[in-house]
């Protein structure tokens, strides 16, 4: 009888922002069981026995995600992936605190160097142009 050996592998990000959650996964296979673990500032949310797990960065400390896969014959394979934890960016918006009703061209700017921007406005104001740029123009509502 020849035992089929499963070669362990993990897919997932190499970095997680502090406080964020990321998905890590192992390839699917028949008769496999999964045992996940973490070190450093990383913690598994929910159970650690599914093919995929959610890992949350709760401390600003690098760590590893570990997986041991066992096949139906009891053969095990273990692998790890190093994961760094990066601090969340500081959000410091510049622009007017108070604006007149129905005023236009109220300019707001976010910090430079972010990989993505997503602006929204509460109330009846509207963003003029793209809501995913570093700087936006807002037309205020009726008050």
């Amino acid at each position: 009888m020849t035992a089929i050996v499963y070669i362990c592998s993990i897919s997932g990000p190499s970095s997680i922002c502090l406080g964020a959650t990321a998905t890590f996964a192992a390839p699917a296979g028949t008769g496999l069981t999964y045992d996940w673990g973490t070190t450093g500032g990383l913690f598994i949310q929910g159970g650690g026995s599914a093919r995929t797990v959610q890992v949350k960065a709760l401390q600003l400390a690098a760590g590893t995600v570990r997986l041991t896969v066992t096949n139906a014959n009891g053969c095990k394979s273990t692998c790890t992936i190093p994961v760094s934890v990066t601090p969340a960016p500081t959000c410091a918006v510049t622009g007017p605190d108070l604006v007149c009703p129905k005023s236009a061209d109220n300019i707001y700017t976010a910090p430079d160097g972010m990989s993505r921007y997503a602006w929204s406005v509460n109330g009846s104001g509207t963003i003029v142009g793209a809501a995913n740029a570093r700087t936006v123009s807002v037309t205020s509502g009726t008050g």
Side-chain angles (χ1 to χ4, degrees):
M1 175 191 229
T2 302
I4 298 172
V5 177
Y6 178 84
I7 304 299
C8 183
S9 66
I10 300 171
S11 63
S14 61
S15 180
I16 305 174
C17 285
L18 180 64
T21 301
T23 301
F24 290 82
T30 304
L32 300 176
T33 59
Y34 307 95
D35 179 27
W36 294 88
T38 59
T39 65
L42 307 172
F43 297 90
I44 294 175
Q45 295 183 310
S49 60
R51 189 179 74 78
T52 62
V53 291
Q54 297 294 309
V55 175
K56 185 164 187 169
L58 293 179
Q59 298 173 4
L60 194 57
T64 59
V65 174
R66 177 198 45 81
L67 171 63
T68 300
V69 178
T70 306
N71 70 12
N73 296 320
C75 298
K76 295 182 179 191
S77 179
T78 300
C79 55
T80 61
I81 181 173
V83 179
S84 62
V85 177
T86 57
T90 301
C91 186
V93 175
T94 59
D97 291 334
L98 300 172
V99 295
C100 295
K102 298 183 184 179
S103 64
D105 298 322
N106 299 293
I107 305 298
Y108 295 89
T109 304
D112 192 19
M114 300 296 123
S115 61
R116 183 172 62 206
Y117 299 93
W119 293 90
S120 63
V121 177
N122 290 333
S124 59
T126 57
I127 294 172
V128 179
N132 61 353
R134 179 174 172 242
T135 299
V136 294
S137 176
V138 176
T139 298
S140 65
T142 58

